[in-house]
Amino acid sequence: MAGGEGTRLRPLTSLRPKPMVPIVNHPVMEHIVGLCHWHGLDQIVATLQFMPQVIRDYFGDGEEWGVSIEYAIEDKPMGTAGSVKNAQSLIGDEPFIVISGDSLTDVDLKEVIAFHKSKGGTATIVLKHVPDPLEFGVVITDSDGRIERFLEKPTWGQVFSDTINTGIYVLEPGIFDFIVPDEVVDFSADVFPAALAKGEQLYGHVIDGYWEDVGTLDAYLRAHHDILDGLVTVEIDGFRMRENVWLGEGADVDPDAQVDGPAIIGPNCRIEPGAHVGEHSVLGGDVVVKHDAHVVRSVVHEHTYIGSSARVSGAVVGRACDLRSNSTIEPGAVLGNECFVGEQAVITSDVKVYPFKSVDAGAVITSSIVWETKGARTLFGRRGAAGIANVDITAEVATRLAQAYGTSLKKGAVVTTSRDTSRAARALKRS
């Protein structure tokens, strides 16, 4: 299932589909392809919808990963079951597994298949206990594992189980009888309830392995931390050094630099003297960290430059960004690809900067930059708004400038104005 757009992951998904977002320097879908290959599943069909060519160009026919990959492309979103129905001709008449290409998991697929065969049902749904089930579909089963009830994304008042649907299914081809063709159809909301109503046997299998829906920016960072903490098994490039530090091929870490594990330094990175790469940090390939810069608990994508004495903490920095000296990226901030941040500029917590944006030197960015071309140090340019009173700068212009300025302020903010003793200045201040 690789048709996701990943709107909640923007700006990381502004220029690519969700399955291509990198997790420890590989697209998340690549980890799923590797998982399938590891468990002997070498015939893969990828259902695509959003930016399908990006995925096809990267994976091709799958030979590089030891699998065979075919593609089923949708003109419009068809829902989880509708997209599988669209691929029916490629799937054939054998039992098959459905798995998300944009989730991170190391579930034992052989164990799930064995459970499915032992029960002989139409479908087996892989379940997981989670502390907060509100964002997922809740499933309740009897003592034999037979599913009794579904509830999609409940409220707390509706929660009757902490066992959620991971979106991993083992299905018999008979399930296609319950999927209406050429319509938007969902497994949990439409297909499985209809199959239950017809007396089909559906089973749930609770897994102990790791599973994370990498659907939000918080989950994206958390997935990296979990990998570094050894909570999930995935392939990491490079060789493992002391304190769980992975060093990629060609990486150059100066002896006077400090790297605290767990951390991943990608291939051909350069860490200069006095630089500090802290715990739970992941650097993509060709990243440069200049002297006295600090990167802690952050994910930095490939080809990014981090200037001297810059600070990146708890943030995500996209591909080919340029962070100049003494700039600061605060926790929760996210930069899209090819952003420029000037000297001593500050990107404050939870701000999103979309791709190809520039931030002036010394600017303090407190709100997300989505449509603008740049983040400026002052709202009306370096010299403000200047001109001859009552000719260039009229009362009407002053009022409009104030309205524009007001849109950048938080509710309840206080504004202080000053003026000289001239009558024109008094009129403009009142405006």
Side-chain angles (χ1 to χ4, degrees):
M1 305 285 290
E5 186 172 347
T7 55
R8 294 180 298 166
L9 273 175
R10 289 177 183 167
L12 299 183
T13 52
S14 296
L15 303 172
R16 60 188 156 207
K18 185 181 174 187
M20 295 302 293
V21 171
I23 299 283
V24 293
N25 300 330
H26 290 278
V28 60
M29 179 174 161
E30 187 171 350
H31 295 297
I32 297 300
V33 171
L35 180 73
C36 291
H37 176 62
W38 176 259
H39 289 97
L41 301 170
D42 57 5
Q43 292 178 290
I44 295 175
V45 176
T47 63
L48 310 181
Q49 194 273 319
F50 179 70
M51 299 179 71
Q53 199 58 42
V54 175
I55 295 175
R56 295 187 67 165
D57 287 347
Y58 186 88
F59 288 98
D61 61 5
E63 182 180 2
E64 183 179 340
W65 291 268
V67 299
S68 171
I69 302 180
E70 296 180 278
Y71 301 93
I73 300 177
E74 307 159 40
D75 295 329
K76 59 182 180 180
M78 299 295 293
T80 55
S83 63
V84 173
K85 181 72 171 180
N86 185 56
Q88 184 176 0
S89 62
L90 298 175
I91 294 170
D93 296 326
E94 298 179 84
F96 60 98
I97 284 184
V98 173
I99 188 168
S100 295
D102 51 20
S103 295
L104 185 65
T105 183
D106 58 4
V107 59
D108 188 336
L109 298 178
K110 289 182 179 178
E111 175 190 317
V112 176
I113 293 170
F115 175 90
H116 175 78
K117 290 180 176 178
S118 70
K119 295 299 182 180
T122 303
T124 294
I125 300 173
V126 176
L127 308 176
K128 177 75 174 174
H129 293 298
V130 296
D132 181 4
L134 297 187
E135 290 299 314
F136 308 97
V138 171
V139 179
I140 194 166
T141 62
D142 64 16
S143 59
D144 190 42
R146 187 180 289 107
I147 292 173
E148 296 179 336
R149 190 177 172 194
F150 292 92
L151 188 62
E152 274 295 288
K153 296 186 178 180
T155 64
W156 274 121
Q158 296 172 306
V159 168
F160 46 79
S161 172
D162 66 347
T163 307
I164 60 101
N165 176 4
T166 64
I168 302 173
Y169 314 126
V170 184
L171 303 173
E172 297 294 323
I175 200 70
F176 286 117
D177 296 339
F178 299 95
I179 307 176
V180 180
D182 302 320
E183 291 188 13
V184 178
V185 186
D186 182 77
F187 276 117
S188 294
D190 305 310
V191 176
F192 294 149
L196 279 179
K198 288 288 188 178
E200 298 289 332
Q201 298 298 306
L202 310 183
Y203 289 88
H205 179 61
V206 180
I207 59 167
D208 294 325
Y210 182 92
W211 178 84
E212 177 72 67
D213 175 24
V214 190
T216 65
L217 293 166
D218 286 342
Y220 181 74
L221 272 176
R222 186 167 59 249
H224 281 87
H225 294 174
D226 290 344
I227 290 171
L228 291 170
D229 287 336
L231 301 181
V232 54
T233 302
V234 300
E235 182 177 351
I236 300 176
D237 289 341
F239 61 93
R240 190 170 179 174
M241 300 172 59
R242 52 168 180 79
E243 297 180 351
N244 291 338
V245 174
W246 282 264
L247 202 63
E249 182 180 356
D252 179 12
V253 180
D254 191 274
D256 291 330
Q258 179 182 348
V259 179
D260 299 329
I264 298 173
I265 310 297
N268 303 311
C269 286
R270 189 169 83 248
I271 315 298
E272 294 195 351
H276 176 212
V277 178
E279 72 281 355
H280 295 103
S281 293
V282 176
L283 305 186
D286 302 299
V287 170
V288 175
V289 183
K290 298 293 284 184
H291 61 86
D292 300 323
H294 287 249
V295 180
V296 181
R297 301 181 68 83
S298 297
V299 177
V300 180
H301 294 174
E302 60 185 356
H303 307 305
T304 286
Y305 173 92
I306 300 176
S308 59
S309 301
R311 300 287 188 273
V312 181
S313 177
V316 180
V317 180
R319 180 182 186 276
C321 287
D322 184 351
L323 313 183
R324 293 301 170 93
S325 61
N326 294 289
S327 58
T328 301
I329 314 298
E330 295 186 348
V334 182
L335 274 62
N337 292 353
E338 299 185 39
C339 288
F340 172 85
V341 180
E343 295 182 4
Q344 299 183 340
V346 178
I347 310 297
T348 59
S349 296
D350 302 320
V351 165
K352 299 177 183 178
V353 181
Y354 276 58
F356 313 121
K357 302 294 187 282
S358 295
V359 175
D360 283 350
V364 178
I365 306 302
T366 59
S367 59
S368 296
I369 304 176
V370 181
W371 304 113
E372 305 90 337
T373 57
K374 67 188 299 183
R377 184 175 182 179
T378 57
L379 188 63
F380 303 113
R382 292 186 176 181
R383 298 188 178 184
I388 301 172
N390 288 331
V391 177
D392 301 315
I393 307 297
T394 64
E396 182 181 24
V397 169
T399 301
R400 289 183 175 180
L401 288 173
Q403 289 175 326
Y405 181 51
T407 64
S408 70
L409 302 177
K410 295 180 179 180
K411 184 177 180 180
V414 176
V415 177
T416 302
T417 62
S418 62
R419 63 173 176 86
D420 63 20
T421 58
S422 67
R423 295 175 66 185
R426 181 173 64 178
L428 292 175
K429 180 186 173 183
R430 289 180 177 181
S431 299

